[in-house]
Amino acid sequence: MKFISLFSILTTFLFFSCDKQETSTLPASPADSLHVQVVVLGSGGGFTGLWTGYSIEQDGSVFTWSGADPDSSAKTFLKKLSASDISDLDSVLAVSLPVVNDPGNFSYLIHYRQTEPVIWNSQTAEEGKLTDLFESLISKIENNYDTLD
């Protein structure tokens, strides 16, 4: 019995005497600025809560993703867009996106740069306009992103 008590005391002492290691985030390097997301497009939700979509980064890299959200999902490289394609994308999205946060059972997402994400469902007032823009962008990405016109 004394052995068990001594063992418990030593184990407790060892556990509480361990130092916690501090971790810090390294400052962003100039190369990290190329990995800034220009736009994230996605759709999903529903019973499973899974989403799928595309992520386009500042350097033109296009990734597909599928999961609970674009930040924690595994991404697969799809293709690379030109700087003029990114500029065209900026010109369209900078003036086209209203402020909408209306998630539903199945929702759509457009997250442009540092603005608030635009989330809508089939019952949202501006659903037609937003869904047309969403489908146009998806179509352009899937069809070699020739032009946004």
Side-chain angles (χ1 to χ4, degrees):
M1 186 69 163
K2 288 182 180 182
F3 177 74
I4 294 175
S5 295
L6 182 60
F7 181 76
S8 298
I9 292 170
L10 286 175
T11 305
T12 304
F13 178 76
L14 251 162
F15 179 78
F16 287 108
S17 67
C18 293
D19 289 331
K20 293 182 182 179
Q21 290 185 342
E22 295 287 326
T23 58
S24 64
T25 305
L26 297 174
S29 68
D32 289 341
S33 65
L34 295 177
H35 298 288
V36 172
Q37 292 178 342
V38 173
V39 67
V40 175
L41 304 167
S43 61
F47 176 73
T48 63
L50 293 178
W51 289 69
T52 59
Y54 297 97
S55 173
I56 303 173
E57 295 184 353
Q58 184 64 42
D59 70 348
S61 298
V62 178
F63 296 90
T64 61
W65 60 271
S66 179
D69 65 76
D71 294 330
S72 65
S73 301
K75 294 180 177 149
T76 304
F77 178 79
L78 183 62
K79 63 179 132 190
K80 188 107 169 180
L81 302 178
S82 70
S84 67
D85 289 334
I86 297 297
S87 178
D88 291 346
L89 184 63
D90 277 327
S91 65
V92 167
L93 291 176
V95 297
S96 300
L97 292 176
V99 176
V100 175
N101 185 5
D102 188 18
N105 187 38
F106 185 84
S107 302
Y108 298 90
L109 161 76
I110 299 176
H111 189 182
Y112 172 64
R113 296 205 180 263
Q114 300 300 318
T115 63
E116 288 296 314
V118 177
I119 302 172
W120 73 98
N121 67 76
S122 63
Q123 305 301 314
T124 302
E126 296 188 47
E127 183 267 337
K129 175 186 168 188
L130 288 168
T131 302
D132 288 347
L133 175 62
F134 179 85
E135 289 175 354
S136 171
L137 293 170
I138 295 292
S139 176
K140 302 297 184 201
I141 292 169
E142 291 175 347
N143 294 314
N144 293 325
Y145 203 87
D146 295 332
T147 179
L148 282 172
D149 298 329

